[in-house]
Amino acid sequence: MPIYKAPVEDTLFVLDEVLQLARYNNLPGFSEATPDMVEAILTEAGRVSEEVLLPVNATGDAEGCIRHEDGSVTTPNGFRQAYAAYRDGGWIGLAIPEEFGGQGLPYTLHCAVGAFTSAANMALMMYPGLTQGAIAALVVHGSEEQKATWLPNMVSGLWSGTMNLTEPHCGTDLGLLRTKAVPQGDGSYKITGQKIFISAGEHDLTENIVHLVLARIEGAPEGTKGLSLFLVPKFLLNADGTLGARNAVSCGAIEHKMGIHGNATCVINHDGATGYLVGEANRGLNAMFVMMNEARLSVGLQGMAIADIAYQNAAHYARERLQGRSLTGVKAADKPADPIIVHPDVRRTLMTIRAFTEAGRAFLLWTALKSDIAHRSPDAAERQAADDILGLVTPILKGVMTDKGFDHAVMAQQIFGGHGYIEENGMSQFVRDARIAMIYEGANGIQALDLVGRKLGQNGGRAIMALFREIGDFCEAHRADEAMSFYTKSLKKGLNDAQAATMWFMQHAIAKPDNAGAGSTDYLHLLGLVALGYMWGQMAKAAFDGLAKGGGDQDFYRNKLVTARFFMERILPETALRKARIETGAETMMALSAEAF
């Protein structure tokens, strides 16, 4: 059975010493998140992840979900009990405002916890994860009556939520959507249409399921401008708020898929189901984007989390597996062979995953903190600046962390050799589960196009210039620091490549848009490398400070600096390759006719 140890110490290092969370005590909810409180929450989240969620991860993958003749769905054995423990611990409402029954703590802390729980059991954590996205959409766009009616039981976890977008004929291009809504004259609508790929669409974990459904009101304009968002519950409510009649929404099938078998990915049929408009008519996409943006951060989190648990298992195996002898002489003379951890190529693999995972954790929490500032700061200019960065880096975080999360799950599997291909060791599940994160909530090619086509030039390039300025200022601030000079010089080279690639787009992509499309994925990863390098720069500075102060775990700081140097030496130089690819443009890529493929 796979192992997992929640990285509490590493997460506290990022929160306390890198991001210095205590500096934000002026923001609502942050004063309650004292260092002792944060440590206690993360420690308990680690225990729940290790002792409650992990034990049903492999069995959930093996068993999957079962749809019955009446359309009901049973989740794998142990899922109901594990979900109940998670629900009863109040984890769903950790960062939800207190007025809706949550605890009002920082979203940053919610993401830190989510990295533990998703690593331990990604499929199970998707159920409350979808609920939290639905809650976010209702908090922003729901009416006061809708908030009062639906949110308390969703925040408590007694009810769950979903996001119903995709249809058989349309995924990303939602303007093709056909699900229709017919007004009934009493404020409700009848919703008719079929949705597919609906995660957590039907299950036995909660008493009710609140579907948020995109549909087109009869007579509304074609395209995305005619879409509205509706709340469609599995069970309608009686006048007193108790569960009433079953709504005309049902699970037509469970998708047979590569991974996340413990999550019920459903075909959902709306057969004249009763729904209630959320927000304004024909502005449903605006409401849905609240949910989608939060979901994209959560999916980026999943990529990092799967890489983390895969790394832990690969490192454990490499320390135990005996195979061959070290190139520099016998290391385990009392054994018939040395453990494979002695071999440089095994070290290369493990260090690559580790360097990504630790920087990815910092990038995730840094981004989550921008979200907290954007939503909680009393200063309008500070909110705007944080929101600019948040909008820019969301596609980067989602795309890079899930691409690399999958790559690194495969690399970790490779450490096991043939044993990694055997299901009982768990590495196959990590690979299969990680694959979906590159696809859902906007496939990564779409994230790249969103970055280059929308985010880059938004508000005259204000966000990208602010990001470049922040990283450049960090390099300049520590340029004269001898200990930091290697890290800042390496980071500055990557930043120069990113700035040059951005300038190339400005000069060559406006007149020829295919140049932007051809270079978009490389640009996404180029910026991702620079962002991760920036995280390593900040972590290196915090590690040097920790060593200078003395006390604490000095080996932790020294190991952090070694990993930072590895990233700067062997991973960050890839920015030059990405820049070179971008500058080749689209000519060769677009030269063949469609028939030639």
Side-chain angles (χ1 to χ4, degrees), residues 11-12 29 44 51 56 129 197 228 234 240 246 276 279 287 358 414 440 445 475 483 596:
T11 304
L12 287 172
E44 177 61 12
E51 299 178 9
V56 296
F197 306 158
S228 300
K234 175 180 175 179
D240 61 358
R246 178 68 188 259
Y276 307 95
E358 293 184 10
Q414 187 74 10
Y440 60 13
C475 292

Short mmCIF file of all heavy atoms in Angstrom, two decimals, residues 11-12 29 44 51 56 129 197 228 234 240 246 276 279 287 358 414 440 445 475 483 596:
data_model
loop_
_atom_site.label_atom_id
_atom_site.label_comp_id
_atom_site.label_asym_id
_atom_site.label_seq_id
_atom_site.Cartn_x
_atom_site.Cartn_y
_atom_site.Cartn_z
N THR A 11 5.28 23.11 4.65
CA THR A 11 4.20 24.07 4.46
C THR A 11 4.31 25.21 5.46
O THR A 11 4.10 26.39 5.10
CB THR A 11 2.84 23.36 4.59
OG1 THR A 11 2.78 22.27 3.66
CG2 THR A 11 1.69 24.32 4.32
N LEU A 12 4.64 24.91 6.71
CA LEU A 12 4.82 25.96 7.71
C LEU A 12 5.98 26.87 7.34
O LEU A 12 5.93 28.09 7.56
CB LEU A 12 5.05 25.33 9.08
CG LEU A 12 3.82 24.70 9.74
CD1 LEU A 12 4.21 23.95 11.00
CD2 LEU A 12 2.76 25.76 10.07
N GLY A 29 -9.98 37.60 9.05
CA GLY A 29 -9.71 36.18 9.20
C GLY A 29 -8.26 35.85 9.47
O GLY A 29 -7.94 34.77 9.98
N GLU A 44 -3.48 18.56 12.26
CA GLU A 44 -4.71 17.75 12.25
C GLU A 44 -5.09 17.38 10.82
O GLU A 44 -5.53 16.25 10.56
CB GLU A 44 -5.84 18.51 12.93
CG GLU A 44 -7.20 17.79 12.92
CD GLU A 44 -7.21 16.44 13.63
OE1 GLU A 44 -6.23 16.13 14.34
OE2 GLU A 44 -8.20 15.70 13.47
N GLU A 51 -4.52 9.11 8.03
CA GLU A 51 -5.22 8.03 8.74
C GLU A 51 -6.64 7.78 8.26
O GLU A 51 -7.16 6.68 8.46
CB GLU A 51 -5.25 8.35 10.24
CG GLU A 51 -3.86 8.46 10.87
CD GLU A 51 -3.92 8.82 12.35
OE1 GLU A 51 -5.05 8.82 12.93
OE2 GLU A 51 -2.86 9.12 12.93
N VAL A 56 -8.42 4.62 2.12
CA VAL A 56 -9.47 4.23 1.17
C VAL A 56 -9.19 4.72 -0.24
O VAL A 56 -10.05 4.64 -1.11
CB VAL A 56 -10.87 4.73 1.64
CG1 VAL A 56 -11.25 4.06 2.94
CG2 VAL A 56 -10.91 6.25 1.79
N GLY A 129 -14.64 19.41 -2.97
CA GLY A 129 -14.02 20.45 -3.78
C GLY A 129 -15.01 21.11 -4.72
O GLY A 129 -15.04 22.34 -4.87
N PHE A 197 -19.63 14.43 -18.27
CA PHE A 197 -18.39 14.63 -17.52
C PHE A 197 -18.63 15.41 -16.23
O PHE A 197 -17.79 16.22 -15.81
CB PHE A 197 -17.32 15.37 -18.36
CG PHE A 197 -16.99 14.74 -19.68
CD1 PHE A 197 -16.43 15.50 -20.69
CD2 PHE A 197 -17.22 13.40 -19.93
CE1 PHE A 197 -16.10 14.93 -21.92
CE2 PHE A 197 -16.90 12.82 -21.15
CZ PHE A 197 -16.33 13.59 -22.15
N SER A 228 -27.32 31.55 -19.16
CA SER A 228 -27.69 31.90 -17.79
C SER A 228 -27.31 30.75 -16.86
O SER A 228 -27.18 29.60 -17.29
CB SER A 228 -29.19 32.19 -17.68
OG SER A 228 -29.57 33.26 -18.53
N LYS A 234 -31.06 18.28 -6.53
CA LYS A 234 -31.50 16.89 -6.68
C LYS A 234 -32.87 16.70 -6.03
O LYS A 234 -33.77 16.09 -6.61
CB LYS A 234 -30.47 15.96 -6.04
CG LYS A 234 -30.86 14.49 -6.00
CD LYS A 234 -29.75 13.65 -5.34
CE LYS A 234 -30.15 12.20 -5.18
NZ LYS A 234 -29.06 11.40 -4.57
N ASP A 240 -40.68 24.65 4.65
CA ASP A 240 -39.90 24.81 5.88
C ASP A 240 -38.42 24.51 5.68
O ASP A 240 -37.65 24.46 6.65
CB ASP A 240 -40.47 23.92 6.99
CG ASP A 240 -40.42 22.44 6.62
OD1 ASP A 240 -39.98 22.10 5.50
OD2 ASP A 240 -40.82 21.61 7.46
N ARG A 246 -38.33 14.55 -5.29
CA ARG A 246 -37.17 14.38 -6.15
C ARG A 246 -37.37 15.21 -7.41
O ARG A 246 -38.42 15.16 -8.04
CB ARG A 246 -37.00 12.90 -6.50
CG ARG A 246 -35.85 12.58 -7.45
CD ARG A 246 -34.51 12.82 -6.80
NE ARG A 246 -33.43 12.69 -7.76
CZ ARG A 246 -32.65 11.61 -7.88
NH1 ARG A 246 -32.87 10.56 -7.11
NH2 ARG A 246 -31.68 11.59 -8.77
N TYR A 276 -33.59 27.47 -10.60
CA TYR A 276 -33.77 28.86 -10.15
C TYR A 276 -32.59 29.69 -10.66
O TYR A 276 -31.43 29.29 -10.50
CB TYR A 276 -33.85 28.91 -8.63
CG TYR A 276 -34.88 27.98 -8.06
CD1 TYR A 276 -34.51 26.71 -7.61
CD2 TYR A 276 -36.22 28.34 -7.99
CE1 TYR A 276 -35.45 25.82 -7.10
CE2 TYR A 276 -37.18 27.46 -7.49
CZ TYR A 276 -36.78 26.21 -7.05
OH TYR A 276 -37.72 25.32 -6.55
N GLY A 279 -28.09 35.01 -10.23
CA GLY A 279 -27.60 36.24 -10.84
C GLY A 279 -28.53 36.72 -11.95
O GLY A 279 -29.73 36.44 -11.95
N ALA A 287 -21.05 34.44 -13.74
CA ALA A 287 -21.25 33.76 -12.46
C ALA A 287 -20.46 32.46 -12.41
O ALA A 287 -19.84 32.11 -11.40
CB ALA A 287 -22.73 33.50 -12.23
N GLU A 358 8.32 21.29 -4.22
CA GLU A 358 8.51 22.29 -3.17
C GLU A 358 8.27 23.70 -3.69
O GLU A 358 7.66 24.53 -3.01
CB GLU A 358 9.90 22.14 -2.57
CG GLU A 358 10.06 20.82 -1.80
CD GLU A 358 11.41 20.67 -1.11
OE1 GLU A 358 12.18 21.66 -1.05
OE2 GLU A 358 11.69 19.56 -0.63
N GLN A 414 8.67 5.39 -12.82
CA GLN A 414 9.85 4.81 -13.46
C GLN A 414 10.87 4.34 -12.44
O GLN A 414 11.61 3.37 -12.69
CB GLN A 414 10.48 5.85 -14.40
CG GLN A 414 11.62 5.34 -15.25
CD GLN A 414 11.15 4.45 -16.40
OE1 GLN A 414 9.95 4.36 -16.67
NE2 GLN A 414 12.08 3.80 -17.07
N TYR A 440 -9.38 18.66 -17.39
CA TYR A 440 -10.61 19.32 -16.96
C TYR A 440 -10.38 20.73 -16.41
O TYR A 440 -9.26 21.13 -16.18
CB TYR A 440 -11.44 18.46 -16.01
CG TYR A 440 -10.89 18.00 -14.68
CD1 TYR A 440 -9.74 18.52 -14.10
CD2 TYR A 440 -11.58 17.01 -13.98
CE1 TYR A 440 -9.29 18.08 -12.88
CE2 TYR A 440 -11.13 16.55 -12.74
CZ TYR A 440 -9.98 17.09 -12.20
OH TYR A 440 -9.54 16.64 -10.98
N GLY A 445 -3.96 23.40 -23.17
CA GLY A 445 -3.77 24.21 -24.38
C GLY A 445 -4.65 25.45 -24.35
O GLY A 445 -4.25 26.53 -24.81
N CYS A 475 15.37 40.46 -7.46
CA CYS A 475 16.74 40.20 -7.90
C CYS A 475 17.65 41.38 -7.55
O CYS A 475 18.78 41.20 -7.07
CB CYS A 475 16.78 39.94 -9.40
SG CYS A 475 15.99 38.40 -9.92
N ALA A 483 25.80 35.58 -0.71
CA ALA A 483 25.17 34.27 -0.56
C ALA A 483 24.05 34.06 -1.56
O ALA A 483 23.82 32.95 -2.05
CB ALA A 483 24.65 34.09 0.87
N ALA A 596 -2.67 16.34 -45.04
CA ALA A 596 -1.34 15.73 -44.90
C ALA A 596 -1.15 15.06 -43.55
O ALA A 596 -0.19 14.30 -43.37
CB ALA A 596 -0.25 16.78 -45.11
#
